[in-house]
Amino acid sequence: MLDGRAFAAIAATLTASRSMAGKADIGRVAEALGLSAASAVPVGDDCAAIPDGDEYLLLAIEGFMNEFVAGDPWFAGWCGIMVNLSDIAAMGGRPIAVVDALWAKGEVEAEPVLRGLRDASASYGVPIVGGHSNLRTDRGQLSVAVLGRAKRLLTSFDARPGQSLIAAIDLRGRYRDPFSNWEAATDAPASRLRGDLDLLPQIAEAGLSRAGKDISQGGLVGTAAMLAECSRVAIDIDIAACPRPEGVDLARWLLSFPSFGHILAVDPPDVVAVTQMFAARGIASAAVGRIAEGSAVTVSHAGDRATIWDFATSPLITAADRQAA
């Protein structure tokens, strides 16, 4: 049980985190490009969802921090596949193929990154079909893009007041220091990795949820903030209810990037069905928050509550849309 002082310290850490500040950069870039939630393909989702008949093509891209590529090159390559496939799943889709862009100072530096890409491609069963390379640069950089398809979408724009916020996270892992990446994938059987990701399109296709996101940089709370802003709702998160590994510091955990971690907006009568689907695959899940009318993301614990972000006073990722409204 946290006391009031410890809770206040955690809330302050979440509000001031570098990852939350980084999410605000999305709005600045989107504004410069003339994009917003009102665009033909709305900005704010994990992928661009492009209508294609009765279905959707999903297109996403991830770029990786230079220090991450340099410090853990094999895992950076693995993550190039893993996080992109998570984005596809987060929107109710299944992946088709990926392409990569790699810069490196020679073949020796490029080798572990390429091996990580290849190993993850084999484990997840998604082919690498091309890309771009430059082996004559002064530093390593990596970007990976993915194409997928969805029958029914999970989006960032369809969370509704009265729904419960479910968090589902694979806790069967460990931190991959020095970053706060919770890694539960590289030792997992390939069949488990593929089956776990397929849960999200199954949930979408069954009509059990229409809104969600994968937990990314910014952690559970930062990801919930993006969902709340895009859906124009308030979310209150009970931090004690969040699935968490034994012995892991709560403040660090709430800012962690799990290899499998998703939040979903679910109608209360469907919460049991959804959590049972995750439990059947050994994934921890729980209702961790309430979605309501409003504009603030708050965290609470044992009667204490703190505001992490209020979009009415400070837009996060949809700056262009807010300013136009």
Side-chain angles (χ1 to χ4, degrees):
M1 178 71 70
L2 298 173
D3 61 24
R5 181 176 297 178
F7 171 78
I10 289 174
T13 297
L14 293 172
T15 302
S17 75
R18 175 186 175 190
S19 296
M20 286 290 286
K23 295 302 182 187
D25 292 344
I26 298 172
R28 299 184 183 98
V29 173
E31 184 177 15
L33 291 172
L35 303 174
S36 76
S39 300
V41 177
V43 173
D45 267 327
D46 292 288
C47 304
I50 304 165
D52 185 40
D54 294 333
E55 299 183 349
Y56 296 85
L57 287 173
L58 303 176
L59 184 62
I61 188 169
E62 294 281 352
F64 295 87
M65 296 182 295
N66 290 350
E67 58 264 39
F68 177 42
V69 178
D72 201 347
W74 179 87
F75 189 54
W78 177 283
C79 287
I81 303 292
M82 180 180 72
V83 299
N84 271 294
L85 301 192
S86 183
D87 282 341
I88 295 290
M91 291 198 65
R94 296 178 175 90
I96 297 171
V98 298
V99 295
D100 70 280
L102 174 67
W103 295 259
K105 190 176 181 179
E107 292 182 41
V108 172
E109 184 181 275
E111 190 277 332
V113 180
L114 293 170
R115 181 160 40 88
L117 284 162
R118 187 174 63 244
D119 290 347
S121 172
S123 290
Y124 284 100
V126 180
I128 301 169
V129 296
H132 168 83
S133 61
N134 184 338
L135 303 185
R136 300 175 184 274
T137 63
D138 62 349
R139 74 199 71 184
Q141 294 182 304
L142 175 66
S143 182
V144 181
V146 62
L147 178 69
R149 182 178 293 277
K151 296 177 181 178
R152 295 186 69 174
L153 288 178
L154 297 169
T155 84
S156 300
F157 300 93
D158 285 321
R160 296 291 178 261
Q163 292 183 314
S164 297
L165 185 74
I166 289 179
I169 306 173
D170 190 346
L171 304 182
R172 296 166 292 190
R174 83 292 301 163
Y175 276 117
R176 196 169 179 110
D177 293 324
F179 304 100
S180 287
N181 296 323
W182 182 258
E183 199 276 282
T186 56
D187 295 331
S191 60
R192 190 175 95 193
L193 294 175
R194 300 175 193 185
D196 289 351
L197 283 180
D198 201 57
L199 281 173
L200 281 302
Q202 290 177 37
I203 288 169
E205 290 160 13
L208 294 171
S209 178
R210 291 177 52 193
K213 295 188 77 66
D214 75 327
I215 300 172
S216 60
Q217 295 288 356
L220 193 159
V221 176
T223 301
M226 291 189 289
L227 177 65
E229 185 176 29
C230 289
S231 292
R232 298 180 181 268
V233 295
I235 296 180
D236 180 62
I237 298 170
D238 178 357
I239 59 175
C242 299
R244 176 168 54 122
E246 289 280 341
V248 170
D249 176 73
L250 181 56
R252 184 184 189 188
W253 179 246
L254 292 172
L255 290 168
S256 294
F257 190 164
S259 57
F260 183 100
H262 293 265
I263 56 173
L264 293 166
V266 176
D267 291 332
D270 294 325
V271 166
V272 171
V274 172
T275 54
Q276 285 179 343
M277 291 177 71
F278 288 111
R281 297 199 60 84
I283 296 169
S285 66
V288 302
R290 296 175 294 106
I291 301 170
E293 299 277 358
S295 60
V297 172
T298 57
V299 293
S300 57
H301 175 73
D304 291 320
R305 180 171 284 106
T307 298
I308 304 302
W309 206 281
D310 189 339
F311 311 112
T313 58
S314 181
L316 185 59
I317 65 170
T318 57
D321 184 44
R322 289 289 178 171
Q323 290 171 4

